Amino acid sequence: MTHTQWSPSATRHTLEQRAVILHAVREWFRSAEILEVETPQLMQAAITDPHIDSFATAASPRRYLRTSAEFHLKRMLSAGYGDVYEMGKVFRIDESGRYHNPEFTMLEWYRCGIDHLTLIDEVHDLLRSLHGDTCPSLDKVSYRELWLRVSGIDLAHADAADVAAFLESQGCEVPPSAAGNIDTVLDLGMATVIAASLPKDGYTCIYNYPASQASLARIDTDDRQWPVAHRFEFYFGSVELANGYHELNNAQEQRSRFEADNAERVRSGREAMPLDMRFVDSVDHLPDCAGVAIGMDRLLMILLPHISSLQQVLSFDWNQA
């Protein structure tokens, strides 16, 4: 066995910098009086998201490594614990690459009595505290306005064919199986053409996603031509960094969304996942709140300019674990 096969992925200096930054994050939450908690990494149920797969144990009964701490943190809010956060390991079956590692650190927090727009400002405050005087700029733009800005398409009056035609005009290949599904072509466009258009050295917060992409967010139907999900994402350059919601608190609607996710998983050839009914049953008790999750290893890449890949901020990456 050679040295390169057993040595850590990150240098000691980088791990020292990582420790300082994680300490600063915890100090920010301590000053905000948000309680740090630890929740289970092994769960009895799995996420139903059609685009995310969970690691499962071989033991019986089967357990799943969490893809986020969301369900348990929300159960704590439903039980009256108030504002909480967790910074810990999560696991997703995914490629290992410059911005991906199947095991990574996620920072996730929930605040009672605020919506997603207020939480956007709070995320920005945390980023400014970590960057200090060198914090990059932040551009806040709605999903609809961003697409209009980049493509000239008003999504309130467009269909999948319009979006697919624009993507192909930009050199993005649209698979025939995706061309008729508006959410599929929008996701493809966000990951390619739209992401590439974002400022390379700054943050972009995209908010008010299409209602069909609500996930666990509330839906606003005030504009009947363009109902939106109270959801936002932060990007740095073209890299997604954070995902947040004004949280849904209707258990029946939550179960319906999970069942629709599972139906989509089956259509795409994936296994349907067992529903987390403890979480679903708790949703009716969830207070008015907003929550967000940030990929800490990606954030560390931004805060440490000498870092060029996720593996350089990990003690041991996936291939050396």
Side-chain angles (χ1 to χ4, degrees):
M1 182 178 290
T2 67
H3 176 75
T4 55
Q5 290 176 311
W6 59 258
S7 60
S9 311
T11 66
R12 179 181 173 88
H13 177 62
T14 298
L15 294 182
E16 288 171 347
Q17 292 177 298
R18 179 187 178 109
V20 168
I21 292 169
L22 297 191
H23 176 74
V25 169
R26 288 191 162 93
E27 282 297 297
W28 187 90
F29 281 98
R30 185 191 62 78
S31 65
E33 298 182 341
I34 301 175
L35 177 66
E36 181 177 14
V37 297
E38 291 184 345
T39 60
Q41 294 188 8
L42 280 172
M43 303 172 61
Q44 296 183 39
I47 192 169
T48 58
D49 189 309
H51 308 295
I52 298 176
D53 289 321
S54 304
F55 286 100
T57 67
S60 182
R62 196 179 192 188
R63 292 291 186 269
Y64 301 87
L65 283 169
R66 66 181 183 182
T67 58
S68 89
E70 180 170 8
F71 292 176
H72 286 102
L73 292 177
K74 286 184 178 177
R75 283 168 61 182
M76 299 184 85
L77 265 69
S78 294
Y81 283 66
D83 300 343
V84 293
Y85 86 96
E86 182 167 4
M87 186 160 54
K89 295 292 187 180
V90 296
F91 309 84
R92 299 181 182 185
I93 297 178
D94 202 350
E95 65 190 69
S96 180
R98 183 180 180 189
Y99 295 109
H100 295 87
N101 198 68
E103 176 184 359
F104 60 98
T105 299
M106 182 177 283
L107 169 64
E108 193 162 354
W109 78 94
Y110 293 85
R111 295 279 264 160
C112 299
I114 68 171
D115 64 9
H116 62 306
L117 299 178
T118 303
L119 187 56
I120 288 170
D121 292 335
E122 189 163 280
V123 173
H124 191 204
D125 183 66
L126 172 61
L127 293 174
R128 285 197 304 263
S129 76
L130 297 175
H131 279 282
D133 295 334
T134 61
C135 188
S137 62
L138 171 64
D139 179 26
K140 291 191 285 188
V141 58
S142 73
Y143 189 99
R144 180 180 178 182
E145 176 59 31
L146 180 60
W147 271 90
L148 185 62
R149 179 193 298 177
V150 176
S151 70
I153 296 173
D154 185 346
L155 294 178
H157 309 287
D159 58 20
D162 297 323
V163 176
F166 164 71
L167 295 180
E168 289 176 341
S169 75
Q170 301 300 303
C172 178
E173 183 178 351
V174 180
S177 59
N181 186 304
I182 183 65
D183 286 318
T184 302
V185 290
L186 285 176
D187 284 346
L188 177 61
M190 286 296 295
T192 54
V193 178
I194 301 299
S197 75
L198 301 178
K200 290 182 171 50
D201 297 317
Y203 289 104
T204 303
C205 178
I206 307 165
Y207 62 91
N208 287 357
Y209 274 60
S212 56
Q213 299 183 23
S215 189
L216 286 84
R218 300 187 187 197
I219 293 176
D220 185 340
T221 58
D222 286 349
D223 183 345
R224 295 191 177 184
Q225 287 189 313
W226 181 248
V228 296
H230 283 185
R231 173 185 172 187
F232 67 86
E233 290 188 349
F234 267 74
Y235 283 75
F236 185 83
S238 61
V239 179
E240 182 189 341
L241 180 66
N243 196 2
Y245 311 106
H246 189 191
E247 303 293 347
L248 178 68
N249 58 359
N250 181 308
Q252 182 176 351
E253 172 65 18
Q254 188 64 79
R255 179 167 185 166
S256 295
R257 292 187 192 181
F258 283 166
E259 290 171 344
D261 282 348
N262 263 337
E264 179 60 30
R265 289 183 67 86
V266 171
R267 278 193 295 271
S268 65
R270 283 181 159 95
E271 179 186 1
M273 292 288 100
L275 302 189
D276 189 337
M277 291 310 300
R278 289 183 175 85
F279 167 65
V280 171
D281 289 344
S282 77
V283 170
D284 276 337
H285 304 279
L286 192 66
D288 183 34
C289 64
V292 63
I294 297 178
M296 282 303 301
D297 304 305
R298 290 185 179 181
L299 179 56
L300 286 161
M301 290 180 65
I302 299 165
L303 295 169
L304 303 175
H306 64 284
I307 298 299
S308 60
S309 74
L310 201 72
Q311 287 66 36
Q312 292 174 284
V313 298
L314 304 174
S315 298
F316 294 92
D317 68 27
W318 183 250
N319 293 318
Q320 293 178 283

